[in-house]
Structure formats: C-alpha cells, structure tokens
Amino acid sequence: EALQAGAFGVSTGTFYPPASAAPTDEIIDVCQPLRGRAGAIYATHLRDEADHIAPAMEEALLIGRELDCRVVFSHHKLAGERNHGRSRETLDMISRAAATQRVCLDCHPYPATSTMLRLDRARLASRTLITWSKGYPEATGRDFAEIMAELGLDEEAALARLAPAGAIYFLMDPADVNRIFSHPLTMVGSDGLPFDPHPHPRQWGTFTNVLRTMVREQRLLSLETAIHKMTGLAAAQYGLTERGLLRQGYHADLVLFDPANVTDTATFSAPIQVSQGIHAVWVNGRQVWDGERTGAERPGQVLAPGDAIPWSQQSE
C-alpha cells in the first residue's frame, strides 16, 4: 500500500531493537513487494558498523540482490578506534558490488554520530555528549563522563538514571570520513535529528560544512563534485526526474551562495546556528529565502519516484 501511495522503497534499522531481532530471510520476505518495481530502494542502517561491519554489509547486499533493488548504505561509517582505517575495506566491497548490482551510500562530514544513549556506543566512543534526557534533563549538552562523576554512578547505572536519552558519540576517524566522501557513489546526507534539545551540529551545518572543510580548506573535493554529491547524484540514485541538475525544463531548485565565504556556524557546543554566505534559495522557481529571512511562499512538492534512472547513469 505504501509503495502504491508513492514510497520509494523500504528503510531498515537492524542496528536498533526490535528490528535487530529480524533474520535476513525475514527481511527479504517482508520486502518482497519491492521485487520487480523499477527504481525501488532498500536503504539500511546496518546491523553493525563496528567489528562486524563486513558481514553486515554482505547481508544488505544479499538482500538487494534477492529483491533486485538498489541498496543504500545510510550514513556509512566505521565505529570505534580498532576499526579506524577499515573504510578502505568497506569501500572496496561497495566498488566490487557496484559492478554487478545497484548500490550507493551517504555520509556526513563529522567524526561523531548521534542516536539514542546506548552503552555499546558509549564504550566505543572517545567522548559521549548527551543531547537530551527524560530521566535527568540537567544532563542535556554535557559529557556523559561528567554526569557519571556528578551522580557517583557507573556506566550502566548512569544510563538507567538518564534513560530515555540521546547522545552524540565521537567514534570515527576523520581520515575514514574523508575517504568515504571521496568515493564516487557517496552522497551528502545530514542524518539530522530535528527534535533533540541539543542536537548534533549536522542538523544545521552539514552541507555548508562540506563546502567549507572539504572544498575550501582541505581541497578534498572540487566545488562541482561536492555540489553534485548533494544534488544530481542523489536525484539519480533515487530516481527523481528533472531535478538535481541545471538544465532547461528541469525544476528550478536553486541556491545562490558565495563559494569563498559560505560556511557552517553550528558546533558541538552550540549546534543551533544558521549557516552564513547563502544569499537566496528558490524552490520550483519561486524564491523562499532572501539571505536574511524566509518568505511566505510554499512552493514545495511531495517528491515521488520518477521513471527509473538507467543503471549505467547511476554515478553520472
């Protein structure tokens, strides 16, 4: 019913309960409606992004082959110090798979991730920052280690005191992040969580952070490549027709910015900060931002899957 209503496909989060209990064959059975649908997507937050990332990726690729649909590795990362550098291995897996099946990935430009407060993540991280807590609201925006000391509790007891809660985990190697971004099939994705009282800065700064750090400061990506990873590549992977490129007859979704000065201002200590250097935004040809404020126009549309993008064009 969801596919008939315009859904692009299925998203799974086998890293999280209760989906973590689902075996591979159950996921394949549940996702059977994807089979035979042109351009269908299987997007997944992998079952494991740390020590067992390779078999988790193999599982996702198997599901994609069984369903004959595109696999999207959501916010690809290597978690924990002992896995730093393994992006060479995982990206090689993706490149080999792309020769025989449809596959892509997205990533954000920060060495920290964010989700619910979990001990396995906190034990992998070099630092854990609390984004919200129902059990101990005073913890919001503070280090988990500081809260443990304040309450005189160990990790398990402190988690129970704060729960339910969310956190930011510093557990990735910046070199892995850069290597993942350099892969031709990598799209820019924020993975933002908009309702956290103290969110990850990716919610407000992902795309301008890429333009500042990876284009202007590090020269890791050309400006054109970075923009394509945010626009045309994503449109092609998700089958959005007449979007993502500056072409006659395409929808005029445009951003006017100063490449020499555009920058994020959101930080881990002050994450709710508007980016600078963006002078105007148009959606479907109508201006919605003038550099200082949003306008009254609401020209956006719900996007539905277009005609399937030919496999041979998936990385153009």
Side-chain angles (χ1 to χ4, degrees):
E1 290 175 353
L3 290 169
Q4 290 171 1
F8 285 79
V10 172
S11 173
T12 60
T14 46
F15 174 72
Y16 298 101
S20 57
T24 307
D25 58 354
E26 179 181 344
I27 297 172
I28 293 171
D29 286 346
V30 169
C31 295
Q32 280 300 316
L34 296 180
R35 187 188 296 277
R37 297 186 74 94
I41 298 287
Y42 174 73
T44 182
H45 185 129
L46 290 171
R47 197 178 293 276
D48 191 284
E49 296 173 318
D51 297 353
H52 305 294
I53 189 168
M57 291 178 64
E58 292 289 3
E59 177 189 44
L61 291 169
L62 171 63
I63 292 168
R65 291 193 299 271
E66 290 291 322
L67 298 171
D68 190 26
C69 65
R70 187 183 307 277
V71 175
V72 180
F73 291 106
S74 298
H75 34 280
H76 185 49
K77 70 179 75 67
L78 286 304
E81 185 174 356
R82 60 178 172 261
N83 293 298
H84 289 176
R86 291 186 65 193
S87 59
R88 297 180 182 87
E89 172 191 352
T90 60
L91 293 173
D92 186 55
M93 290 175 63
I94 290 171
S95 295
R96 291 198 310 270
T100 57
Q101 66 183 106
R102 291 160 292 177
V103 59
C104 62
L105 61 154
D106 63 64
C107 186
H108 65 63
Y110 302 90
T113 187
S114 183
T115 186
M116 65 180 71
L117 181 58
R118 293 172 51 134
L119 277 186
D120 58 348
R121 299 291 93 176
R123 288 168 176 167
L124 280 174
S126 59
R127 177 191 176 198
T128 299
L129 181 67
I130 304 301
T131 58
W132 61 275
S133 170
K134 290 288 185 68
Y136 192 63
E138 300 92 327
T140 299
R142 299 168 63 190
D143 278 24
F144 187 46
E146 176 188 348
I147 301 303
M148 287 194 294
E150 179 178 299
L151 298 175
L153 301 173
D154 63 16
E155 291 176 324
E156 293 187 10
L159 185 144
R161 177 71 175 84
L162 270 60
I168 293 169
Y169 306 94
F170 293 80
L171 40 66
M172 290 122 77
D173 180 4
D176 280 322
V177 176
N178 285 353
R179 192 175 294 113
I180 291 168
F181 258 94
S182 298
H183 194 279
L185 292 178
T186 300
M187 305 173 288
V188 181
S190 72
D191 191 31
L193 299 171
F195 305 114
D196 286 358
H198 186 100
H200 192 300
R202 64 192 182 187
Q203 174 65 27
W204 289 76
T206 287
F207 297 89
T208 48
N209 181 286
V210 170
L211 298 177
R212 173 178 64 85
T213 62
M214 295 186 172
V215 174
R216 200 163 61 237
E217 297 175 357
Q218 301 176 19
R219 300 185 183 276
L220 178 73
L221 304 172
S222 69
L223 178 62
E224 294 83 359
T225 297
I227 296 298
H228 185 63
K229 287 176 174 289
M230 301 173 184
T231 56
L233 179 60
Q237 297 287 12
Y238 279 80
L240 298 175
T241 56
E242 299 181 343
R243 293 189 184 273
L245 298 174
L246 288 173
R247 287 184 179 172
Q248 185 175 355
Y250 276 45
H251 297 273
D253 300 325
L254 307 172
V255 179
L256 177 64
F257 66 91
D258 180 354
N261 296 301
V262 66
T263 187
D264 57 321
T265 61
T267 64
F268 287 100
S269 58
I272 304 176
Q273 304 289 334
V274 177
S275 294
Q276 297 176 349
I278 297 175
H279 300 307
V281 177
W282 291 264
V283 175
N284 290 320
R286 292 155 68 183
Q287 190 168 358
V288 296
W289 172 257
D290 65 4
E292 295 183 0
R293 63 188 64 84
T294 56
E297 298 257 24
R298 295 292 184 270
Q301 301 172 2
V302 175
L303 300 181
D307 296 331
I309 301 297
W311 186 9
S312 60
Q313 297 178 13
Q314 68 174 352
S315 61
E316 288 184 4

